Amino acid sequence: MLRIHVSGVDLSRVRMATRPDAMWETILSFHRLRDRRGSTVFGEWRKESRTRLNGEARLLSAVVPPRGYFPDFLTPSGGGPEPFGLDAGMEALRDTPEERFRAELGLLTGKGATGRRQSGGHAHAALPEALAEGRTEPLGRLISTLRAYHRAAVEPYWPHIRASVEADRAVRGRAMLDGGADELLATLPPMIRWRAPVLEADYPVDRELRLDGRGLLLQPSFFCRGTPVVYRDPGLPPVLVYPVTHPGAPAAAEPGPWLGRLVGHTRSAVLRAIDSGCTTSELARRTGVSLASASQHACVLREAGLVRTLRHGSSVLHTLTPLGAALIRGGASLAVT
């Protein structure tokens, strides 16, 4: 079990990440690629992603074991609610001090620290040792491999990933407005339990994390599954990565014929009203239509890939997908940032 000790000061400093973190999604997706569970959500994604890979998985396996510990430096944090984009994350990885490489890779290989040993016999088993020695060529190979893997397995699905995280943020944001940080922590997924002043979570090992006034960044993640994730090093900025709700499998972003279904002033008004997130009742009030009509319009927009709907207590909450947001904002970019 993971136990996060939250003081009154920490509670006032709980923050939600503003968007998905490209580095966390890349590393956690690599776990999902090798995990046979969750076929309903990840099965088709696995098949599609594997066809695009060209040997990247073999090298990444040297530093990201199938389960358990992986080095914290692979998912750098800026310490604030604005996550690193892919480019900034790669630069932060490149700037990792040599002593940190050595310490964290020592936990991976079992040299100089206690931790899980990497299984032997891998063609790239020497990569952690080479990185720990501070050699630039292996680090360059790792970064280029991470980029190639991200292009193959994460980037095509980024609009779906971002929509999932933004829908989760909308639910948590409403909880924060309704009852403050206490309510926010109480509405996290069921594997996380708020028993003030301790946030407990299912976890593969026993961990105690004391925030000591630093607050906590909540980072929803599409590819996180089963249990949340925290940094192993308690001295790093506290981040709790947790799984979003998965109403459907990810699909690569493609244009479709359904945009023609949006013709009409009422449906356009419905789409604009959903911009900041709303329940069906609020949608009906904002647009001046009946409850049944608001529900029907939201259903059409959801089928078109422009709206996501998540249950929030006894009601449902509608939010825009990146495609829906781009449509009402004149085609804003959907790329990874």
Side-chain angles (χ1 to χ4, degrees), residues 167-179 183-184 186-188 245 278-280 282 309-319:
D168 185 273
R169 271 177 47 82
V171 171
R172 310 302 163 209
R174 291 182 75 86
M176 186 79 167
L177 289 172
D178 291 344
E183 182 70 15
L184 167 61
T187 62
L188 291 173
T245 302
C278 63
T279 65
T280 306
E282 290 169 339
T309 301
L310 289 179
R311 184 157 294 281
H312 179 58
S314 60
S315 61
V316 294
L317 181 65
H318 308 291
T319 60

Side-chain angles (χ1 to χ4, degrees), residues 44-97:
E44 193 63 28
W45 165 80
R46 287 189 190 107
K47 287 193 289 186
E48 293 175 359
S49 297
R50 283 169 179 157
T51 63
R52 301 188 193 100
L53 294 174
N54 188 27
E56 292 86 356
R58 290 193 297 275
L59 187 141
L60 292 183
S61 294
V63 290
V64 186
R67 62 186 60 85
Y69 170 76
F70 60 86
D72 290 335
F73 64 71
L74 290 172
T75 52
S77 170
E82 184 72 17
F84 280 135
L86 185 65
D87 290 340
M90 293 297 179
E91 284 305 308
L93 172 55
R94 190 184 298 277
D95 292 340
T96 302

Side-chain angles (χ1 to χ4, degrees), residues 17-243:
T18 58
R19 55 191 169 96
D21 186 296
M23 299 298 285
W24 277 108
E25 297 298 345
T26 298
I27 299 301
L28 293 176
S29 74
F30 189 51
H31 281 292
R32 302 288 77 78
L33 189 74
R34 297 169 293 174
D35 184 357
R36 296 181 181 179
R37 296 170 295 176
S39 58
T40 301
V41 175
F42 301 112
E44 193 63 28
W45 165 80
R46 287 189 190 107
K47 287 193 289 186
E48 293 175 359
S49 297
R50 283 169 179 157
T51 63
R52 301 188 193 100
L53 294 174
N54 188 27
E56 292 86 356
R58 290 193 297 275
L59 187 141
L60 292 183
S61 294
V63 290
V64 186
R67 62 186 60 85
Y69 170 76
F70 60 86
D72 290 335
F73 64 71
L74 290 172
T75 52
S77 170
E82 184 72 17
F84 280 135
L86 185 65
D87 290 340
M90 293 297 179
E91 284 305 308
L93 172 55
R94 190 184 298 277
D95 292 340
T96 302
E98 183 179 331
E99 57 272 19
R100 184 176 170 190
F101 274 131
R102 187 177 299 111
E104 295 184 8
L105 291 167
L107 293 170
L108 187 68
T109 62
K111 291 185 177 182
T114 57
R116 292 179 178 83
R117 286 182 178 270
Q118 182 187 3
S119 58
H122 199 286
H124 297 282
L127 178 64
E129 286 82 358
L131 289 170
E133 292 169 4
R135 290 154 55 184
T136 50
E137 188 272 334
L139 178 58
R141 283 178 55 214
L142 175 61
I143 289 173
S144 63
T145 301
L146 280 169
R147 284 187 179 277
Y149 173 82
H150 180 93
R151 283 195 300 269
V154 179
E155 188 174 280
Y157 308 93
W158 194 253
H160 188 100
I161 293 166
R162 199 166 82 181
S164 298
V165 169
E166 289 179 353
D168 185 273
R169 271 177 47 82
V171 171
R172 310 302 163 209
R174 291 182 75 86
M176 186 79 167
L177 289 172
D178 291 344
D182 267 300
E183 182 70 15
L184 167 61
L185 295 178
T187 62
L188 291 173
M191 78 286 295
I192 306 170
R193 299 164 294 278
W194 174 230
R195 293 170 179 164
V198 177
L199 189 64
E200 296 180 349
D202 298 338
Y203 210 66
V205 296
D206 287 334
R207 285 284 309 277
E208 302 279 339
L209 177 59
R210 300 186 182 277
L211 301 181
D212 295 329
R214 295 174 295 170
L216 180 67
L217 176 64
L218 300 174
Q219 176 67 64
S221 167
F222 183 85
F223 284 108
C224 185
R225 180 188 184 277
T227 62
V229 186
V230 295
Y231 287 128
R232 189 188 189 284
D233 183 354
L236 292 173
V239 179
L240 181 69
V241 182
Y242 66 89

